[in-house]
Amino acid sequence: MSEVYVLITITSRKKLPGFLSAYDKNNMPIGFISLGYGTAKDEILDMLGLDRSEKAVGMAMVTDEVWKEVKRFLRKKMYIDMPDTGIAFIIPLSSIGGKREMAFLTAGQDYRKGEESVMKDTKMELLVVVSNQGHNDLVMDAARAAGAYGGTVIHARGTGMNQAELFFGVSLASEKDMTFIVTKRSQRNAIMSAIMKGAGMDTPAQSIVFSLPVSDAAGLNMGDESGEET
């Protein structure tokens, strides 16, 4: 029985093609890429005569068996343990909205549905909604109608989108919005269902939604917490 995880990769933009090639060789054609920057302070960069490092952040779904192979490949072929190469880590997946969506995101990997997550007692969830760029209003209208408080959007690019016709019978755009919504675990299913209905594959947004466990958080007022430490 294979667990499913979200694999997050952070590397320089120059090294990104090598990582994507490595993942493709390990049966991971579906993923999402966003761009970012390193966080070194400007005065340190000026002193060293360096520019701010340009980063790429990748996200993909892997089973535990595939992760073992990927990790071995990254160490032996990509030398990921060397400084300034990059970092890759996994987070247990709670759920994915829809069987076709699950098959799409885990394409080519041997997966059988088991327990929901290795973290079963969390009170909150992070919903990640991947939609066609420019249609976030559909996503948030559906989410708010089911009780979501708000979300944060970043732009990303999908890889392996040519696989979509095998699962959905339609093509998917590569330019994506990724919306992050933190919610109570008890509201997760309702919000995911609302997004699938109001902004899913049969709408212009063509959204895919999945959730990750949140073990703790601060700065969220969801109406039933005293805010006191225990």
Side-chain angles (χ1 to χ4, degrees):
M1 186 77 68
S2 293
E3 295 281 355
V4 178
Y5 299 85
V6 175
L7 167 63
I8 296 178
T9 306
I10 303 173
T11 186
S12 70
R13 297 184 195 181
K14 292 180 179 179
K15 291 185 173 67
L16 177 62
F19 279 83
L20 294 180
S21 176
Y23 292 162
D24 187 51
K25 291 176 181 177
N26 285 275
N27 297 318
M28 288 169 40
I30 310 302
F32 306 97
I33 304 297
S34 184
L35 302 181
Y37 295 89
T39 58
K41 293 184 178 180
D42 289 339
E43 55 266 30
I44 296 176
L45 295 172
D46 291 341
M47 181 176 65
L48 297 175
L50 299 174
D51 295 324
R52 176 166 291 191
S53 58
E54 296 182 327
K55 300 288 187 179
V57 180
M59 182 180 292
M61 302 293 172
V62 293
T63 62
D64 43 11
E65 292 301 320
V66 170
W67 166 240
K68 291 175 184 176
E69 294 300 318
V70 167
K71 184 168 63 172
R72 186 179 299 115
F73 190 95
L74 291 176
R75 284 177 167 167
K76 290 185 176 180
K77 302 295 184 180
M78 297 297 297
Y79 307 107
I80 196 169
D81 292 323
M82 297 292 290
D84 299 323
T85 300
I87 184 172
F89 57 94
I90 57 174
I91 301 170
L93 183 75
S94 289
S95 62
I96 294 179
K99 292 181 179 179
R100 292 181 307 168
E101 287 78 359
M102 170 67 88
F104 173 60
L105 292 174
T106 59
Q109 300 182 55
D110 183 18
Y111 166 74
R112 291 180 296 161
K113 183 174 175 57
E115 290 192 17
E116 188 173 90
S117 169
V118 295
M119 297 176 65
K120 297 182 283 293
D121 299 321
T122 57
K123 295 182 179 180
M124 291 173 290
E125 297 270 330
L126 171 65
L127 306 188
V128 180
V129 188
V130 183
S131 59
N132 288 340
Q133 198 169 98
H135 294 281
N136 182 255
D137 285 347
L138 277 179
V139 173
M140 288 311 304
D141 287 347
R144 288 191 180 98
Y149 288 87
T152 300
V153 184
I154 63 172
H155 299 307
R157 185 173 181 84
T159 64
M161 294 297 104
N162 58 311
Q163 297 281 333
E165 291 199 42
L166 297 176
F167 298 92
F168 305 115
V170 297
S171 59
L172 296 183
S174 294
E175 299 302 318
K176 299 293 183 182
D177 285 335
M178 298 186 71
T179 306
F180 299 95
I181 302 169
V182 179
T183 186
K184 298 176 188 175
R185 190 172 186 271
S186 60
Q187 293 180 300
R188 180 198 65 193
N189 290 346
I191 295 173
M192 291 180 71
S193 295
I195 291 171
M196 291 167 63
K197 182 177 180 180
M201 290 302 302
D202 297 325
T203 73
Q206 293 185 313
S207 299
I208 294 173
V209 56
F210 57 91
S211 66
L212 306 173
V214 174
S215 60
D216 201 3
L220 296 172
N221 184 1
M222 297 188 173
D224 61 353
E225 304 245 358
S226 66
E228 295 181 357
E229 295 284 346
T230 57

